[in-house]
Amino acid sequence: KQEVTQIPAALSVPEGENLVLNCSFTDSAIYNLQWFRQDPGKGLTSLLLIQSSQREQTSGRLNASLDKSSGRSTLYIAASQPGDSATYLCAVLNDYKLSFGAGTTVTVRA
Amino acid sequence: GAGVSQTPSNKVTEKGKYVELRCDPISGHTALYWYRQSLGQGPEFLIYFQGTGAADDSGLPNDRFFAVRPEGSVSTLKIQRTERGDSAVYLCDKAGPGYTFGSGTRLTVV
């Protein structure tokens, strides 16, 4: 069974600091890996999707890397803003279904 | 989320009652998923539909849970004899390409 772990569970930083969120997974036979954002009481918003053959994806201030063989991904958020405060979830796709980590809750202090 | 409507947004029910949760993927997708998210956890897979049939229902916790998608579009998740442990947010996702999640139904069993 795929196990996905996210570290740290919570993170609080001052505005402008760069964020580094970590995700690890036990079964490297994944089809893709995704990072989602979840605001309190809301659904999931897809941020970045990395196919298993790719090493990284970038969108604006966000960059995600994937090392499939070691079962790890890292999400970098540059120059954090208070609006980045949310829970960030990592998920991997295998056997047609997503397995999620428990998330990292980020607070960016103004 | 845009493109997936889930109703109701909130449901409070008494222990032992029957509930139905609805997901409308709006534009229609072949693949549709249900996930359950408990407080402080990532979503967990429940069931996956390809068209009208359940391709994988291995995530349903027990036989009190059942889901249908009779016309290959709208899906209903049905829970019989609800228990307090069923309290969670139930999320629907239409997949391909990318992932679009609904805002979820928050079920509270009292």
Side-chain angles (χ1 to χ4, degrees):
Chain A
K1 183 190 171 196
Q2 179 74 267
E3 301 286 342
V4 181
T5 303
Q6 291 189 246
I7 294 172
L11 190 57
S12 179
V13 299
E15 183 176 3
E17 197 163 296
N18 297 331
L19 292 163
V20 180
L21 310 180
N22 297 297
C23 171
S24 62
F25 48 95
T26 53
D27 182 355
S28 62
I30 63 169
Y31 186 73
N32 63 43
L33 180 144
Q34 287 200 81
W35 284 92
F36 292 89
R37 170 183 172 137
Q38 187 170 36
D39 293 285
K42 305 292 185 183
L44 306 177
T45 300
S46 180
L47 297 174
L48 291 169
L49 184 152
I50 312 176
Q51 299 292 352
S52 62
S53 58
Q54 298 176 317
R55 299 284 294 187
E56 68 175 345
Q57 278 287 344
T58 298
S59 176
R61 295 183 294 111
L62 275 60
N63 173 275
S65 66
L66 173 63
D67 184 343
K68 198 174 84 148
S69 60
S70 67
R72 287 186 291 194
S73 176
T74 303
L75 177 66
Y76 301 90
I77 304 177
S80 61
Q81 304 168 357
D84 294 330
S85 298
T87 296
Y88 292 82
L89 294 160
C90 165
V92 295
L93 179 72
N94 39 7
D95 295 331
Y96 299 100
K97 51 188 177 275
L98 291 170
S99 298
F100 286 83
T104 294
T105 299
V106 171
T107 303
V108 181
R109 307 186 304 271
Chain B
V4 179
S5 173
Q6 289 191 249
T7 53
S9 55
N10 280 285
K11 176 72 176 177
V12 180
T13 191
E14 292 181 347
K15 179 175 177 293
K17 298 289 189 183
Y18 167 83
V19 297
E20 290 189 352
L21 311 180
R22 187 176 188 267
C23 170
D24 183 352
I26 301 181
S27 62
H29 270 61
T30 302
L32 184 145
Y33 293 77
W34 284 96
Y35 291 85
R36 177 169 76 171
Q37 186 173 24
S38 300
L39 193 62
Q41 301 297 318
E44 292 181 314
F45 169 79
L46 294 176
I47 187 170
Y48 152 52
F49 285 92
Q50 271 286 4
T52 60
D56 185 345
D57 64 358
S58 62
L60 296 177
N62 52 58
D63 61 6
R64 295 187 297 107
F65 288 74
F66 190 71
V68 295
R69 195 185 185 203
E71 297 177 357
S73 179
V74 172
S75 176
T76 304
L77 179 65
K78 309 180 180 192
I79 311 173
Q80 299 177 322
R81 305 183 303 280
T82 51
E83 299 177 358
R84 292 196 179 88
D86 299 335
S87 297
V89 176
Y90 290 80
L91 294 165
C92 177
D93 162 38
K94 66 176 184 181
Y99 299 87
T100 303
F101 281 81
S103 297
T105 294
R106 182 175 299 278
L107 176 66
T108 304
V109 182
V110 297

